[in-house]
């Protein structure tokens, strides 16, 4: 399998965090939204282990699905991850570091965004597989809108709201 350059181009065009604090435009994603108003509130959410647990569960749902339904394609997972991580380090790390420093957001901020982007690339790479679980590509839509997805309020995936700054 090969990573389509289209996802890298899409990520390169993101105007990172330009609408933070503004409500997410209706219809951007098919999720209930809880809005936070500032970086301190966002930091509380993305630093909470429940957000890490939510994104880990979303990733595990994807890998379990691919392993059971598309084992031959899933066997390429690690090769795709290596390419995706190379892209993230070369194209995204500096942009994120400047926001981290400007707002004193900590390394967990950078780790969260990199994790989201990595797994959006992975979802995109496997998007030709039927009924592939989707979570991180929705997060990319939030980033593309200039907002920051920073938490989950409730029990993922059965109920709750995506927390957005």
């Amino acid at each position: 399998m090969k990573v389509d350059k289209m996802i890298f181009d899409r990520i390169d065009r993101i105007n990172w965090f330009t609408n933070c604090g503004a409500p997410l435009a209706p219809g951007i994603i098919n999720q209930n939204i809880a809005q936070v108003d500032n970086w301190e509130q966002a930091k509380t959410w993305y630093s909470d282990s429940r957000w890490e647990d939510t994104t880990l569960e979303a990733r595990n749902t994807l890998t379990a699905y691919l392993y059971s339904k598309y084992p031959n394609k899933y066997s390429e997972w690690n090769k795709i991850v290596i390419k995706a991580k190379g892209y993230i380090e070369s194209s995204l790390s500096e942009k994120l570091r400047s926001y981290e420093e400007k707002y004193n957001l900590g390394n967990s901020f950078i780790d969260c965004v990199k994790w989201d982007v990595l797994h959006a690339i992975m979802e995109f790479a496997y998007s030709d597989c039927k009924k592939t679980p989707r979570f991180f590509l929705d997060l990319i839509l939030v980033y593309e809108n200039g907002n920051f997805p920073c938490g989950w309020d409730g029990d993922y995936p059965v109920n709750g709201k995506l927390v957005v700054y």
Side-chain angles (χ1 to χ4, degrees), residues 52-62 115 136 156-158:
E52 183 177 348
D53 293 345
T54 298
T55 61
L56 184 58
E57 186 173 343
R59 193 280 313 262
N60 290 347
T61 299
L62 174 64
W115 177 267
F136 295 99
Y156 179 83
V158 292

Side-chain angles (χ1 to χ4, degrees), residues 32-55 105 108-109 112-113 116 143 148-156 159-165:
N32 292 322
I33 302 294
Q35 191 79 35
V36 296
D37 300 322
N38 56 56
W39 279 113
E40 282 305 310
Q41 291 174 350
K43 188 174 187 177
T44 299
W45 282 98
Y46 71 74
S47 299
D48 191 305
S49 64
R50 290 176 295 174
W51 180 232
E52 183 177 348
D53 293 345
T54 298
T55 61
L105 301 173
S108 60
F109 163 77
C112 284
V113 177
D116 294 346
Y143 286 117
F148 175 47
C150 56
W152 187 268
D153 187 10
D155 296 320
Y156 179 83
N159 65 46
K161 296 178 180 180
L162 180 65
V163 179
V164 174
Y165 173 50

Side-chain angles (χ1 to χ4, degrees), residues 13-94:
R13 287 191 301 272
I14 293 174
N15 291 318
W16 296 94
F17 317 115
T18 56
N19 283 329
C20 286
L24 187 66
I28 296 290
I29 61 170
N30 189 20
Q31 294 276 358
N32 292 322
I33 302 294
Q35 191 79 35
V36 296
D37 300 322
N38 56 56
W39 279 113
E40 282 305 310
Q41 291 174 350
K43 188 174 187 177
T44 299
W45 282 98
Y46 71 74
S47 299
D48 191 305
S49 64
R50 290 176 295 174
W51 180 232
E52 183 177 348
D53 293 345
T54 298
T55 61
L56 184 58
E57 186 173 343
R59 193 280 313 262
N60 290 347
T61 299
L62 174 64
T63 57
Y65 176 82
L66 293 170
Y67 178 79
S68 68
K69 301 290 184 185
Y70 296 92
N72 291 337
K73 288 185 178 189
Y74 178 67
S75 68
E76 299 294 314
W77 179 273
N78 289 339
K79 290 177 187 175
I80 299 168
V81 165
I82 290 168
K83 183 167 184 142
K85 283 184 174 182
Y87 161 77
I88 290 167
E89 288 307 312
S90 67
S91 297
L92 195 56
S93 288
E94 279 305 309

Side-chain angles (χ1 to χ4, degrees), residues 102-121:
K102 182 176 181 179
Y103 296 103
N104 193 31
L105 301 173
N107 285 330
S108 60
F109 163 77
I110 294 171
D111 293 341
C112 284
V113 177
K114 285 181 175 182
W115 177 267
D116 294 346
V117 171
L118 171 63
H119 291 92
I121 293 168

